Amino acid sequence: MVDLTGSSSPFQQSIPNFAFYLPAVIVFGLAALFGYKLYKSLMEKELKKQEKVKNKHTKKSKKNN
């Protein structure tokens, strides 16, 4: 619990720790999701590029035969 008042105050006010943990979990979860999506997108792009080069070489070799 986070105390918002001093010890001399007659009224005690506090915020439960859950109020801080939940937004932190959400932010880190979203960052992980976007990071995964970015990684997946870059890997797909790289695979397509490699496939394109491979197809280009096979067409070139077929043309020479």
Side-chain angles (χ1 to χ4, degrees):
M1 297 259 198
V2 177
D3 289 329
L4 299 175
T5 57
S7 61
S8 62
S9 175
F11 300 105
Q12 296 294 322
Q13 186 177 8
S14 62
I15 298 174
N17 289 338
F18 182 73
F20 296 104
Y21 293 144
L22 184 62
V25 168
I26 291 171
V27 167
F28 285 120
L30 286 174
L33 177 68
F34 287 127
Y36 172 73
K37 290 285 194 175
L38 177 63
Y39 174 77
K40 189 176 174 182
S41 173
L42 291 173
M43 288 297 111
E44 284 181 10
K45 187 181 282 190
E46 185 66 29
L47 285 174
K48 285 181 182 181
K49 186 177 178 181
Q50 289 175 356
E51 187 177 323
K52 188 176 179 180
V53 169
K54 184 179 176 183
N55 286 340
K56 192 174 184 180
H57 285 293
T58 56
K59 285 181 183 181
K60 189 175 181 180
S61 65
K62 285 182 183 180
K63 187 177 180 181
N64 288 338
N65 289 337

